[in-house]
Amino acid sequence: KKAGIKLRTFNMVGLPNETYKTLFKTIRMNFKLAPQGAQTAIYYPIKGTSLGDKCYEEGNVDMEIQRRIKEYTYQSPLKNNKIPNWVIVAAKWINAATALRSGNWGLFKAVFGLAKSKLWTKKRITPLLGRSLMDCANLNEKKAYLDGV
């Protein structure tokens, strides 16, 4: 930081055998680092990779959830009995927010700028009560949803 080098981190959460302790350690590490940017992905098993193949072979993939997932950014099809999916998703966003510690308020301003411009009227906020962006199945549906908000 003293040399002016901007640190960005990329982390993956929800890996097989993830525990609350390892999840917390990931978030704590990024909090201490205070990176300029922190990107966090949720693990998704891909056939043809050593870890993905192992997950399928050991029966750790919930095939019904996998069929329903349209975008793996918000959910993992792993059968991880140690941590509920909502905790993994929350950890993803909490970890990404650690970048705010670096003083990088650009992201924060961008999100609230979008909210102010698109959402800050009663007419536009009402549709949000019945449906959220995460309910949209694909990118085109998300764009249409945001355009209508």
Side-chain angles (χ1 to χ4, degrees), residues 50-61:
S50 57
L51 186 55
D53 288 344
K54 183 178 178 182
C55 289
Y56 284 99
E57 289 165 10
E58 293 178 358
N60 291 332
V61 180

Side-chain angles (χ1 to χ4, degrees), residues 69-135:
I69 292 177
K70 303 285 187 222
E71 189 174 320
Y72 59 87
T73 307
Y74 304 110
Q75 188 173 10
S76 171
L78 286 187
K79 298 175 187 176
N80 186 340
N81 297 329
K82 296 174 188 169
I83 304 174
N85 192 66
W86 71 268
V87 173
I88 292 169
V89 173
K92 167 192 167 84
W93 295 108
I94 292 167
N95 193 56
T98 60
L100 297 175
R101 274 199 74 239
S102 69
N104 179 9
W105 291 97
L107 175 63
F108 186 75
K109 289 177 184 175
V111 168
F112 280 92
L114 174 68
K116 186 177 179 185
S117 68
K118 290 206 171 255
L119 306 176
W120 255 227
T121 67
K122 187 173 183 179
K123 179 182 174 187
R124 291 179 172 216
I125 201 77
T126 304
L128 292 175
L129 299 175
R131 186 166 192 226
S132 75
L133 183 60
M134 288 178 62
D135 291 332

